[in-house]
Amino acid sequence: MDIFKPLDEKKFDIFHIKALFTTGMGVFTDGYLLSSISLVILDVMKNFGITKGSSLYEFWLGILSGSVFLGAIVGAIMFGILANKGRKTFYGIDVALMTIGGLLQGFATSPVMLAIIRFLVGIGTGADYVLSPLIMAEHSNAKDRGKLIAIGFGLMWSLGAVTASLLYLAISPFVPSSVLWRVVLAFGAVPASTVIYLRRKVPETGRYLARIKGDIEGFKKVVKEITGKEVAVNNQLKDQTPLREYFRQSGRVFVATALLWFLYDLTGYANGLFGPTLIARSIGIYNPAIFSLIIAVAFGFPGKGLGIGLVDKVGRKPLQTIGSIGEGLFLAIFAFLLNVKLALIALLIYGLHEFLGSIGPGIISTAGMLGVEVAPTKVRSIVQAITVASGRSGAAIASFVFPYLFISVSKEFAMLFFAVLMFIAAALTWFGVPETKGKPLEEASKEVIQV
């Protein structure tokens, strides 16, 4: 008897749409908060008297970009552990932290203060990247789970990033740079605040109630609320398997999943954080918002749209492998075009790297899909916390290393370095993780349930 069959076979309806909005707005805010700093970071540095000739220029470039990721590592581990005390128990605290931190950014009076505030923002985003995919996956049906996570955590991130660029373009002609960066950063509090209430009202997941809490009556009630069907279960369903047994059984897959997110964030955030400034200027585009919009609208959104349409048909592994190879290939070609005065061609090649990356990695690993699909319920939040912390470690390293590589070593070397990482990620995807397309979470994660 499959006790989760009513949830896995439930047709896509208004419940999934509401869950998608409630979970996805946190990632929308994450996309806004992380992209907005890339648009205004040079204005921030100028406002605090940190010029390109300053000895600490690269240091502050890294700190102001990277402190949010250090906070995210802390937030992911903390809330990954707490989530085994209840998925919804702590849901809403994440976006509350993002709301408070986002608003405080606009009132920073020193680079140190801004870095500390962004660390607080990071705790919220790290928590959200654990809780939201976890809750979305455990509430989803098996058929549509891939596209629901891809929309909620791949597409919504990009929408947040585009919103940051549009706001920047809308107000930059009317306000001085000393005010512009404060408004752009502080506005990140708005989308986060819209779902605090909704998150407090989201139902606890049936899988948590049955497998971790052992609350059979609560489980029946949630299944009835979501699917309208009665579930006849009288046995104890609480998972008594030791945590170490799951790590012994599937530890290699968990490690591969975490490494993939590390590689994708290392590459993605190097390009995302410094694409609108360092990379854009290298090909003659000096407005960071214009560059971001071109890349997102012309290449990112079409790639994500194609990936969302295929992820539950073609599968996770083929999409991510092809996307990774393509991303690496076009980054390598872009490296050789940096010293050639062909700006439009260079922009096209760079855009194609974004297009291919969006088809696979942008909606699978960096959307948190694999972490929640390959782990059994009892260790799902912990494994997701490890993968998020791993990814944010890659992003933090990128924020410190990329400016040094790009400015002090070689632009070409920097892009080739990240191209090689993508080729490694393609091999790791194909040989290191299982296909989870269309499978109930229990089958995808090899979780055994005795009823």
Side-chain angles (χ1 to χ4, degrees), residues 43-63:
D43 292 328
V44 172
M45 305 254 289
K46 180 181 177 182
N47 186 80
F48 292 133
I50 307 168
T51 62
K52 196 168 184 179
S54 303
S55 58
L56 294 177
Y57 179 79
E58 292 173 10
F59 170 79
W60 281 113
L61 202 60
I63 286 291

Side-chain angles (χ1 to χ4, degrees), residues 2-9 16 87 130-149 205-208 211-212 219 239 246 249-250 253-254 312 316 368-381 383-384 434-449:
D2 183 356
I3 60 169
F4 298 115
K5 190 174 182 179
L7 296 171
D8 288 325
E9 295 186 350
H16 296 114
R87 307 312 199 210
V130 172
L131 295 171
S132 287
L134 188 66
I135 290 171
M136 187 76 256
E138 291 186 350
H139 276 324
S140 296
N141 59 36
K143 178 184 175 183
D144 299 309
R145 188 178 63 242
K147 59 176 85 58
L148 282 170
I149 297 176
T205 73
R207 287 176 163 92
Y208 168 79
R211 300 293 287 152
I212 297 179
F219 168 69
D239 190 352
Y246 282 128
Q249 172 186 304
S250 302
V253 175
F254 299 162
D312 286 317
R316 287 42 157 171
M369 191 180 301
L370 292 177
V372 296
E373 289 189 327
V374 301
T377 306
K378 191 172 183 177
V379 296
R380 187 168 291 130
S381 67
V383 171
Q384 180 70 351
E435 180 56 69
T436 56
K437 176 193 72 171
K439 297 178 180 179
L441 286 174
E442 290 65 41
E443 181 184 347
S445 64
K446 299 180 180 179
E447 179 177 348
V448 178
I449 302 177

Side-chain angles (χ1 to χ4, degrees), residues 62 219 235 301 423 437:
F219 168 69
N235 296 353
F301 283 133
F423 294 137
K437 176 193 72 171

Side-chain angles (χ1 to χ4, degrees), residues 192-415:
S193 66
T194 62
V195 290
I196 295 175
Y197 175 78
L198 288 175
R199 289 192 171 195
R200 299 307 303 150
K201 295 298 181 181
V202 72
E204 183 57 272
T205 73
R207 287 176 163 92
Y208 168 79
L209 290 169
R211 300 293 287 152
I212 297 179
K213 191 175 181 181
D215 182 356
I216 300 303
E217 293 306 312
F219 168 69
K220 291 179 179 179
K221 183 178 178 181
V222 165
V223 172
K224 174 72 173 177
E225 178 185 347
I226 294 174
T227 69
K229 296 180 179 180
E230 300 281 355
V231 182
V233 180
N234 298 311
N235 296 353
Q236 178 57 254
L237 298 173
K238 188 173 182 178
D239 190 352
Q240 303 296 337
T241 307
L243 293 178
R244 63 179 178 275
E245 177 60 25
Y246 282 128
F247 281 92
R248 186 198 66 79
Q249 172 186 304
S250 302
R252 290 184 181 180
V253 175
F254 299 162
V255 169
T257 301
L259 283 175
L260 282 171
W261 203 335
F262 174 83
L263 292 172
Y264 290 130
D265 269 12
L266 184 57
T267 301
Y269 279 102
N271 287 276
L273 287 171
F274 303 109
T277 51
L278 301 182
I279 293 173
R281 292 185 177 204
S282 72
I283 59 175
I285 300 176
Y286 293 91
N287 188 314
I290 292 293
F291 179 84
S292 294
L293 283 174
I294 291 172
I295 296 300
V297 175
F299 301 99
F301 283 133
K304 282 187 168 66
L306 182 59
I308 289 167
L310 295 176
V311 69
D312 286 317
K313 297 176 182 177
V314 173
R316 287 42 157 171
K317 287 179 67 167
L319 278 186
Q320 185 154 275
T321 302
I322 293 168
S324 304
I325 292 172
E327 191 171 359
L329 177 63
F330 285 111
L331 280 175
I333 296 172
F334 180 73
F336 290 107
L337 290 175
L338 279 171
N339 286 326
V340 179
K341 304 301 180 182
L342 298 170
L344 286 177
I345 294 177
L347 179 63
L348 174 63
I349 296 300
Y350 187 82
L352 287 172
H353 125 266
E354 177 70 17
F355 176 77
L356 269 297
S358 295
I359 288 175
I363 62 162
I364 297 172
S365 271
T366 53
M369 191 180 301
L370 292 177
V372 296
E373 289 189 327
V374 301
T377 306
K378 191 172 183 177
V379 296
R380 187 168 291 130
S381 67
I382 296 171
V383 171
Q384 180 70 351
I386 292 169
T387 61
V388 173
S390 177
R392 282 346 193 202
S393 298
I397 292 170
S399 67
F400 293 107
V401 171
F402 188 80
Y404 172 75
L405 290 178
F406 199 85
I407 297 171
S408 302
V409 179
S410 162
K411 299 174 184 177
E412 294 78 14
F413 177 82
M415 304 315 293

